Amino acid sequence: MIKKLLVSAAILAAAVTQGAAETAIQFALDWKFEGPSAPYFVAIDKGHFEAEGLAVEIAEGAGSLDAIPKVATGAFPLGFADINSLMRFLDQNPDAPVTAIMMVYDKPPFAVVGRKSLGVETPKDLEGKVLGAPPPDGAWAQFPIFATENGLDTDKITVEPVGFPTREPMLAEGKVAAVTGFSFSSTLNLKRLGVPMDDQSVLLMADYGVSLYGNAIIVNTDFAANNPEVVKGFVKAVAMGWKDAIADPAAAIESLVERNPAADAALETERLQMAIDANVLTDYVMKNGFGGIDDQRMAKAIEQTKSVYEFQSEPDGSRYFDASYLPGGGFKLQ
């Protein structure tokens, strides 16, 4: 079904206007226009996309899984999504023309954020508590691995399905003791709601045995096959946007606020800096460049996923990530 939809939809989603100098590209984000999305707007404002012959339009998302079907059906040629959720999507839709091509969150921000005043400081503290989790949340999708790695008895954890808009307010009000979410999103949303940082316990899953990657740029593979230079230009411009944002986060947030005037510039600058420090500029990226992955680590991530998810067919790492659109050695961000 998806394959049939794609042939026509991909062409419509990112068509090159006859006679026009630029290729129009729609890019599907995972979430709202917050600090970590600033680099993509910087790439627009500083002309990085234009230099590659691209006119890029960026759309908000509704969670880490949201962009995957959008790109798979061809509604968007490119998106930003959780690679672990992509694995499961491809297992359930083996003919879907979508793959990851550029790792952005080398260390994923998947986290359980709790309140010390409500008795949550360690993973084991979740037992006997209420955990708020939005069903489409990327962190919630990986919670079973986190629970397995930390020996949690999930029967002792009451899971409350919550919406993204109510997740942090419910924790701030004490209606749940912890929530799943991205570390840089939930913590600062709670801070804005009046929950001091010293009352927050941030259990970053990567620090508790979870060896997964995070969000990556994904592409419709049929579109990529027909437009390889467009895709290469897109990831190059994205890397330039991140490089500029790392050099001057406050200036990058100006590009964000232009699209989201309601944003708190200081808070979003802090959020962007958190993402840079914890998720983007990792030791691996500093040594090996931005955008690529380590095959051995990916194999381990697949094995962890297999421990909590029954694949319908044997998983294949090459199906989930294609590095051919990246330069050798990745992009240098500093």
Side-chain angles (χ1 to χ4, degrees):
M1 178 69 174
I2 289 177
K3 188 73 174 179
K4 291 179 181 178
L5 286 172
L6 162 68
V7 177
S8 58
I11 297 173
L12 293 173
V16 180
T17 303
Q18 292 296 323
E22 295 184 335
T23 300
I25 293 289
Q26 288 184 298
F27 178 53
L29 281 180
D30 61 329
W31 191 231
K32 300 174 184 178
F33 294 170
E34 293 184 340
S37 62
Y40 310 107
F41 297 118
V42 171
I44 292 175
D45 293 348
K46 288 210 168 184
H48 300 318
F49 285 125
E50 184 178 7
E52 300 301 322
L54 307 177
V56 175
E57 181 179 343
I58 300 174
E60 288 187 343
S64 296
L65 291 68
D66 186 57
I68 298 172
K70 290 178 179 176
V71 174
T73 59
F76 287 77
L78 291 135
F80 186 56
D82 169 36
I83 194 170
N84 309 289
S85 299
L86 176 66
M87 288 184 199
R88 302 183 191 201
F89 179 86
L90 285 171
D91 183 57
Q92 296 160 15
N93 303 274
D95 295 327
V98 57
T99 193
I101 56 171
M102 181 186 207
M103 186 54 60
V104 176
Y105 296 153
D106 180 66
K107 186 175 183 180
F110 308 137
V112 173
V113 180
R115 291 184 62 182
K116 297 175 184 177
S117 59
L118 297 177
V120 177
E121 294 191 52
T122 70
K124 204 68 175 174
D125 292 336
L126 293 170
E127 295 180 359
K129 305 294 195 308
V130 180
L131 173 69
D137 178 42
W140 169 242
Q142 313 316 325
F143 184 79
I145 297 174
F146 173 78
T148 298
E149 291 294 323
N150 292 278
L152 301 185
D153 184 346
T154 54
D155 289 338
K156 294 181 180 179
I157 302 173
T158 300
V159 178
E160 179 73 25
V162 299
F164 286 117
T166 60
R167 173 176 52 189
E168 287 82 21
M170 288 184 70
L171 182 53
E173 294 167 11
K175 293 180 179 178
V176 297
V179 297
T180 63
F182 277 17
S183 54
F184 52 67
S185 292
S186 290
T187 51
L188 294 182
N189 290 346
L190 286 166
K191 179 180 178 181
R192 185 177 56 203
L193 291 169
V195 179
M197 295 297 286
D198 60 9
D199 185 32
Q200 296 185 38
S201 54
V202 183
L203 308 177
L204 195 66
M205 294 184 185
D207 293 336
Y208 288 90
V210 179
S211 300
L212 306 180
Y213 279 100
N215 278 35
I217 303 296
I218 63 174
V219 72
N220 181 289
T221 54
D222 286 354
F223 174 82
N226 291 325
N227 303 276
E229 295 307 313
V230 168
V231 176
K232 289 179 181 179
F234 183 88
V235 296
K236 179 181 178 182
V238 165
M240 293 295 292
W242 272 102
K243 184 174 184 178
D244 289 339
I246 289 167
D248 193 344
I253 293 302
E254 292 177 8
S255 290
L256 174 78
V257 172
E258 185 176 332
R259 278 80 177 183
N260 181 10
D264 181 325
L267 192 74
E268 297 308 329
T269 301
E270 186 176 359
R271 196 190 310 275
L272 172 58
Q273 190 66 62
M274 287 178 67
I276 291 169
D277 294 341
N279 312 114
V280 178
L281 275 187
T282 64
D283 292 341
Y284 178 86
V285 169
M286 294 297 290
K287 180 179 179 180
N288 299 282
F290 174 68
I293 63 171
D294 177 77
D295 290 338
Q296 290 186 340
R297 179 180 163 191
M298 175 58 81
K300 185 175 181 180
I302 290 172
E303 288 304 308
Q304 282 195 330
T305 302
K306 286 170 68 176
S307 72
V308 297
Y309 173 79
E310 186 176 352
F311 282 90
Q312 298 176 22
S313 58
E314 185 63 24
D316 178 4
S318 65
R319 181 69 180 91
Y320 312 134
F321 192 90
D322 179 358
S324 65
Y325 299 98
L326 301 172
F331 295 100
K332 302 304 179 185
L333 296 184
Q334 287 188 321

